[in-house]
Amino acid sequence: MSTVAVLQGGRSLERQVSLKSGARVEDALQRLGHTAVAIDAGSDLVARLTDAKPDAVFVALHGRDGEDGTIQELLEVLGLPYTGSGVAACIRCWDKVLTKHLLRGVGIPTPDFHAFSETAFRELGAAQALPAIESQLHFPLVVKPAAQGSALGIKFARTATDVPAAIVSAFSYDRKVLLERYVPGRDLAVSIVEQDASPMALPVVEALPEGRDFYDFEARYEIGRTRFVCPAELAAQTAERAQALAVEAYRALGCAGFARVDLMLHEDGELFVLEVNSVPGLTETSLLPQAADAAGIGFDQLVERILAMALARVP
Ligand SMILES: Nc1ncnc2c1ncn2[C@@H]1O[C@H](COP(=O)(O)OP(=O)(O)O)[C@@H](O)[C@H]1O
Ligand SMILES: [Mg+2]
């Protein structure tokens, strides 16, 4: 049996979700007979890890620091084995622009896009290129910060007049913004868990908006306004294609352990990868545990498997 530090909380915008993921992981570890040491990731992180002397670290941090490779870098320095993806894969997943370039580079479909830094707007007059971007991507278009999660800072621009405010809003989350072609269709997620060192796609989950205008994006993500269906009601070949694309994306980004790939299924049947989450939610209502459950993998078994992979990768 192992002593496992469960990193959670932190300073990111997803602190509350992370605390829930962490608490649930701790409970599972205890049921499995391990010793779980909860650590809220703050300025005493290194000291607390040094005191705890864990055999492994379970990273249950979402968002900045936990998903962008920062924590992973620290754990490498301390020589502590940890769950999930390594530093480089976290960096690739956290930056949606980098993710999309890498996916496009290996032929994985992702919606067309253009991305700019704040300095391009401030110092190079990038705003004057907006009409050209708009005519290439068409309306509505999606404006999002390169980094962040949980739909933070994402806006749908219906016309050219919506674009500047959407860009300003995205810049409040990150110094780089992504303008992306809108994909009309269904919102899918494929979670991946490795089995015997090869990525295994879990059943597809569909996020369904409850009523309301489908452009009313903010409303969609309010609690209770989205319903999740797993396995998603899809033709077998569509589900298999979504799973295959998710595994390809996971490999292309060099992920390890587990991850969740978000996709859109266009009305015309085409699939597009939006992003890959390197530390997906592990709460009662999170998609990865739901998908694992649908595949007959209970939460404790999931945690044990993720932990075993970390322990097998002792640095
Ligand atoms: N290009 C797009 N076309 C249609 N819907 C999109 C598009 N990009 C994002 N969305 C919607 O916004 C949600 C969140 O976008 P995503 O890129 O996964 O960012 P994050 O989950 O990190 O906030 C998606 O699940 C989808 O519902
Ligand atoms: Mg997403």
Side-chain angles (χ1 to χ4, degrees):
M1 291 298 115
S2 309
T3 299
V4 185
V6 182
L7 297 192
Q8 55 194 287
R11 301 288 162 268
S12 94
L13 298 169
E14 292 168 79
R15 172 177 173 80
Q16 295 308 325
V17 179
S18 167
L19 288 172
K20 282 191 197 153
S21 292
R24 197 166 178 223
V25 168
E26 276 169 54
D27 288 348
L29 288 169
Q30 269 147 15
R31 281 191 298 270
L32 291 160
H34 300 294
T35 304
V37 182
I39 299 183
D40 191 337
S43 54
D44 59 352
L45 174 66
V46 172
R48 297 213 37 201
L49 284 169
T50 311
D51 285 349
K53 294 187 187 60
D55 300 303
V57 176
F58 199 113
V59 181
L61 287 161
H62 312 306
R64 201 199 71 199
D65 299 337
E67 272 188 270
D68 65 8
T70 306
I71 290 285
Q72 290 76 8
E73 189 83 53
L74 267 175
L75 295 171
E76 295 280 345
V77 173
L78 299 174
L80 292 170
Y82 56 91
T83 55
S85 293
V87 177
C90 287
I91 291 172
R92 293 182 201 114
C93 293
W94 179 244
D95 182 336
K96 291 186 173 80
V97 178
L98 180 54
T99 299
K100 288 169 69 74
H101 279 294
L102 292 166
L103 295 179
R104 199 159 69 176
V106 295
I108 298 172
T110 185
D112 287 342
F113 67 103
H114 290 290
F116 292 96
S117 62
E118 218 168 1
T119 52
F121 282 95
R122 244 199 343 250
E123 296 166 17
L124 297 171
Q128 284 153 43
L130 285 176
I133 294 171
E134 290 157 9
S135 70
Q136 284 171 38
L137 301 178
H138 311 293
F139 285 104
L141 56 81
V142 187
V143 181
K144 49 178 115 166
Q148 266 321 321
S150 299
L152 294 164
I154 300 190
K155 296 259 187 273
F156 288 136
R158 263 157 275 203
T159 64
T161 49
D162 296 338
V163 174
I167 290 177
V168 169
S169 158
F171 277 136
S172 69
Y173 291 93
D174 194 22
R175 280 198 291 265
K176 204 159 57 178
V177 7
L178 178 59
L179 292 99
E180 188 174 69
R181 187 186 293 260
Y182 175 76
V183 180
R186 297 164 69 180
D187 211 322
L188 306 179
V190 178
S191 297
I192 308 272
V193 182
E194 282 184 39
Q195 187 171 35
D196 306 325
S198 75
M200 179 182 101
L202 297 173
V204 184
V205 180
E206 176 172 14
L208 282 165
E210 296 271 42
R212 301 284 288 244
D213 171 5
F214 76 101
Y215 284 137
D216 190 351
F217 177 71
E218 282 79 9
R220 249 179 106 142
Y221 285 85
E222 278 169 30
I223 299 296
R225 294 213 187 271
T226 309
R227 189 164 58 89
F228 298 108
V229 180
C230 183
E233 285 167 33
L234 299 169
Q237 89 193 51
T238 306
E240 281 161 24
R241 164 104 177 121
Q243 289 175 311
L245 277 179
V247 168
E248 275 182 49
Y250 180 96
R251 286 212 168 102
L253 298 171
C255 295
F258 67 118
R260 194 190 78 229
V261 182
D262 291 345
L263 306 99
M264 290 297 303
L265 171 60
H266 194 290
E267 291 162 350
D268 71 8
E270 236 185 303
L271 282 156
F272 295 91
V273 174
L274 291 179
E275 62 147 356
V276 180
N277 298 282
S278 57
V279 189
L282 296 169
T283 72
E284 305 274 343
T285 54
S286 298
L287 305 190
L288 186 140
Q290 280 186 49
D293 204 55
I297 304 167
F299 191 72
D300 293 2
Q301 202 186 337
L302 179 68
V303 166
E304 182 70 74
R305 199 192 281 193
I306 291 170
L307 175 65
M309 284 184 276
L311 288 166
R313 287 200 318 254
V314 176

